[in-house]
Amino acid sequence: MSRNRLRLSRGWLLVLALTVGCVGFCNLLAPRLFSGFVAAYVAQPIAWMLLFVYVYRRFPRPGLGKRSLRVKLLKIAAALALCQIYLMVVAGLLDKFGRSPNSFKLSGIIINLIFVTSGLLAVEFSRNYLMANSLRRPSNSVAIAIAVLFTGLLLPWKQFPALDSGLETWARFSGSTLFPVMAENLLASFLCMWGGAWPAIAYRGTLAAFNWFCPVLPNLNWALKTLTGTLVPTVGAVFVYESCSMNMKGIPGRQKKIKPGQAVNWAITSALAVILVWFAIGVFPIRPLVIYSGSMRPTIDVGDVVIVAKRNPRLLHAGEVIAFRVPDSPVPTVHRILAARTEGSDRLFTTKGDANANPDSGQALGDNVIGKVVLVIPKAGWASIALRELFV
């Protein structure tokens, strides 16, 4: 039989059941049995600490790497967390900051410290046990499977959109919550596979310390949350995989070494992918829009992509083509300005599609203007239209 076969013992299944049960108790049962404070800051820490003590007493393996590698992983994990925090702070300078909602009285700090520490220890030692007792040798598929499992357990399910929510709502939830939680658990699982629970605790604990105990936090839009929450842990997981796979001497079933430059390529590809997403959703001063109607024919046709550049509404004039948001419409409108006027602090635009007989029924407010159309790319948006017709 293969040396890499799954080894799902009774102990493994019991730890899995206890972990799932603990999450269910904390999220579903405790709020019904106890008052808000007792449920969150008494019942939950007790449940987590009981799980931690049980798993810790079973002494799971400390990771597949040698002791020297585990020490290095501790430093790497902390460095990745600090890098992610730095990226969040820089993003906050580009966007905005806000006051932390957490209490900074001594009693509040102690309560929050117990709450965060208990959950962190229980989750990471459970992850370590499930990881270390699954296979006899390293396996990326198991690390990813464990990451998916803990993503499902740690997601804030109360924030899940309704099934009939629009595509934009799901995109915002995925970008600001789902993908960052998944990326964080992916890195934690790779750290756990090679170094045991403590490197994963060093990474997630450093992030938790910043988010829970810093009085001022970056208040980012969902696009920036996507970048800061996914880029560092995703590239970090690739880096850990490459670095540790080069230190597999003495481990049965040694995997084939990957090329040294592969992690760099992954990092560059990830960064380019995030930049492309940023460009598409308008984080940069320019963004693309797909045209879904023929109201601007023959200047702009269905399926064309227009590049829209942000402009001060007061600098826009009649004859220019602009993109603007319309209430109750998920798709921006792209029409030509017929007239522009200023009323107090507001800039108002009368607009019309080149193919329409009459001007638009309402005036576009300057605050709703996305920008000015500076480039038209013919027929580049047909793939987007096809996907929209398929899923919407």
Side-chain angles (χ1 to χ4, degrees):
M1 188 174 291
S2 171
R3 288 179 299 176
N4 198 35
R5 62 185 175 87
L6 285 170
R7 299 182 296 120
L8 305 185
S9 63
R10 290 183 180 179
W12 191 96
L13 294 174
L14 179 59
V15 170
L16 175 62
L18 289 174
T19 304
V20 174
C22 191
V23 172
F25 171 80
C26 293
N27 288 282
L28 300 176
L29 192 57
R32 297 183 180 184
L33 296 177
F34 308 103
S35 63
F37 178 86
V38 174
Y41 295 103
V42 179
Q44 287 192 35
I46 291 176
W48 285 125
M49 287 306 298
L50 289 174
L51 175 62
F52 163 67
V53 171
Y54 175 80
V55 176
Y56 185 79
R57 285 172 63 89
R58 298 184 70 90
F59 294 107
R61 293 202 309 260
L64 295 173
K66 296 180 179 180
R67 186 178 184 279
S68 58
L69 179 60
R70 298 199 298 270
V71 173
K72 290 180 181 178
L73 283 176
L74 274 172
K75 299 176 182 179
I76 291 173
L80 288 171
L82 292 174
C83 182
Q84 188 167 341
I85 292 171
Y86 173 77
L87 189 62
M88 292 167 61
V89 172
V90 171
L93 294 174
L94 296 174
D95 195 4
K96 56 183 178 293
F97 284 87
R99 290 186 59 83
S100 171
N102 299 319
S103 172
F104 288 93
K105 296 179 180 179
L106 180 59
S107 59
I109 293 174
I110 294 174
I111 291 172
N112 286 334
L113 183 62
I114 295 172
F115 177 82
V116 173
T117 303
S118 61
L120 184 64
L121 290 173
V123 167
E124 295 312 324
F125 273 89
S126 297
R127 188 199 308 269
N128 182 34
Y129 186 91
L130 296 175
M131 182 76 67
N133 291 277
S134 295
L135 294 175
R136 297 181 185 277
R137 64 180 179 130
S139 171
N140 294 332
S141 59
V142 170
I144 293 172
I146 295 294
V148 171
L149 169 66
F150 279 89
T151 297
L153 294 177
L154 298 179
L155 271 176
W157 292 100
K158 292 182 180 180
Q159 298 180 17
F160 249 75
L163 293 177
D164 57 351
S165 299
L167 184 62
E168 182 178 355
T169 301
W170 277 100
R172 289 178 180 273
F173 171 77
S174 299
S176 63
T177 304
L178 175 60
F179 294 156
V181 173
M182 185 177 297
E184 181 177 320
N185 277 281
L186 181 66
L187 175 55
S189 294
F190 273 98
L191 289 170
C192 223
M193 181 170 68
W194 291 101
W198 290 112
I201 291 172
Y203 169 67
R204 295 191 61 236
T206 303
L207 292 179
F210 175 74
N211 289 319
W212 279 84
F213 303 111
C214 182
V216 179
L217 295 170
N219 186 14
L220 308 178
N221 61 52
W222 72 275
L224 289 172
K225 286 181 180 178
T226 304
L227 175 78
T228 58
T230 59
L231 182 59
V232 172
T234 301
V235 175
V238 176
F239 176 77
V240 170
Y241 165 68
E242 177 185 344
S243 300
C244 294
S245 65
M246 300 303 175
N247 291 273
M248 295 177 62
K249 295 180 179 179
I251 297 177
R254 186 163 64 103
Q255 297 177 0
K256 182 180 178 180
K257 295 181 180 180
I258 61 177
K259 296 180 180 179
Q262 191 167 351
V264 176
N265 294 335
W266 271 87
I268 294 174
T269 302
S270 301
L272 291 176
V274 172
I275 291 172
L276 182 62
V277 172
W278 272 25
F279 170 68
I281 62 180
V283 174
F284 297 119
I286 59 174
R287 64 173 293 185
L289 290 176
V290 177
I291 303 301
Y292 293 96
S293 77
S295 62
M296 281 297 294
R297 288 173 175 153
T299 309
I300 306 172
D301 205 347
V302 176
D304 292 351
V305 171
V306 296
I307 304 300
V308 179
K310 292 182 180 179
R311 290 286 190 274
N312 186 330
R314 295 183 179 276
L315 301 179
L316 297 172
H317 304 284
E320 296 178 319
V321 179
I322 61 171
F324 55 94
R325 290 178 289 270
V326 177
D328 300 325
S329 174
V331 180
T333 298
V334 176
H335 279 176
R336 193 179 302 276
I337 299 174
L338 288 183
R341 60 190 178 88
T342 301
E343 286 189 2
S345 60
D346 296 327
R347 184 74 166 169
L348 303 176
F349 300 96
T350 301
T351 56
K352 173 181 172 296
D354 289 357
N356 294 344
N358 300 310
D360 299 332
S361 57
Q363 291 185 316
L365 296 175
D367 290 342
N368 291 333
V369 173
I370 299 172
K372 173 184 173 182
V373 174
V374 295
L375 179 65
V376 179
I377 306 174
K379 309 304 179 185
W382 274 110
S384 176
I385 293 177
L387 288 173
R388 182 180 176 84
E389 292 296 326
L390 184 62
F391 293 106
V392 179

